[in-house]
Amino acid sequence: MPSRLRNISLVAPATANSVLSLTAKETLDLQYMQRALKAALRGAVCGEVPVGAVLVCGADTFSAHNLRECRNDPTAHAEMLVIRKAAKALSRWRLGGTLYVTLEPCAMCAGAILEARVDRLVFGAWDPKAGGCGSVWNIIEERKVRHPIVVIGGVMEEESQKLPKDFFAQRRAERKVGKLGYPAPTKR
């Protein structure tokens, strides 16, 4: 993990007198991350892997959640969808602003974030299997990248990790009892 990233969370809120009191920007980061978590929950209700994204471009705010299963589209990640939504609404591809995501973006999404010229990326949980911002690859901080992005990982990390863990635990339980429409795989 890059050393400049700072983990902040609502699990143990800071008081006004504590050493860990949050800056105004960190407070905003927490508020928008909560909105990304709500978007992720909307996705889980639809049967999608619960990943949510919120993009703040000036006074405009956009949100999305994964739609890969609903659309049968491998590129329908929350980050890609929110970037497309913002670009269309703002009629520009250089978006700037801050992108909040519940899970570390994959390589595809990291590339899209760079291409959209997002200024800041704030994400919750690290993705040790497919993370493109420090866990597996570090596309965002590649030396040859022309557009530097401030990356802050681990914001509301525990809350962000809990969503996919609970989602997949529920899916495994449903699969055992055959509620997903296909039997559990047999061991060979």
Side-chain angles (χ1 to χ4, degrees):
M1 280 184 263
S3 60
R4 71 175 194 210
L5 304 179
R6 177 174 179 209
N7 294 347
I8 56 176
S9 179
L10 287 181
V11 174
T15 62
N17 296 329
S18 76
V19 177
L20 296 175
S21 61
L22 301 175
T23 67
K25 188 173 269 192
E26 288 171 334
T27 302
L28 271 178
D29 288 348
L30 290 173
Q31 290 172 358
Y32 285 116
M33 187 58 80
Q34 286 176 325
R35 289 177 71 175
L37 286 164
K38 287 179 185 175
L41 285 172
R42 287 193 303 272
V45 170
C46 301
E48 297 286 345
V49 175
V51 177
V54 172
L55 179 57
V56 181
C57 298
D60 298 304
T61 304
F62 307 91
S63 68
H65 58 77
N66 275 6
L67 287 173
R68 286 172 32 155
E69 301 298 325
C70 292
R71 294 186 179 176
N72 289 315
D73 179 357
T75 68
H77 291 198
E79 302 94 310
M80 301 290 284
L81 297 173
V82 80
I83 287 170
R84 288 179 189 140
K85 188 186 287 188
K88 184 174 184 176
L90 299 172
S91 299
R92 65 177 196 252
W93 63 269
R94 290 180 186 93
L95 299 174
T98 301
L99 176 62
Y100 298 90
V101 189
T102 58
L103 183 66
E104 177 187 3
C106 69
M108 172 185 68
C109 293
I113 291 164
L114 288 170
E115 290 300 323
R117 304 297 194 266
V118 171
D119 296 323
R120 289 179 74 232
L121 169 63
V122 178
F123 65 87
W126 294 91
D127 186 353
K129 292 182 180 178
C133 301
S135 290
V136 179
W137 301 283
N138 200 347
I139 293 161
I140 296 289
E141 291 186 353
E142 171 62 40
R143 289 182 316 151
K144 297 175 185 169
V145 170
R146 298 178 306 272
H147 178 72
I149 296 176
V150 174
V151 178
I152 303 168
V155 176
M156 297 184 72
E157 186 171 13
E158 290 178 28
E159 299 90 330
S160 297
Q161 285 174 339
K162 186 175 178 353
L163 285 175
K165 280 182 183 176
D166 291 351
F167 175 81
F168 286 114
Q170 181 180 350
R171 293 290 291 234
R172 283 189 295 276
E174 289 172 353
R175 195 173 191 188
K176 265 187 177 173
V177 297
K179 287 187 178 179
L180 292 179
Y182 53 88
T186 57
K187 292 184 180 179
R188 295 181 188 200

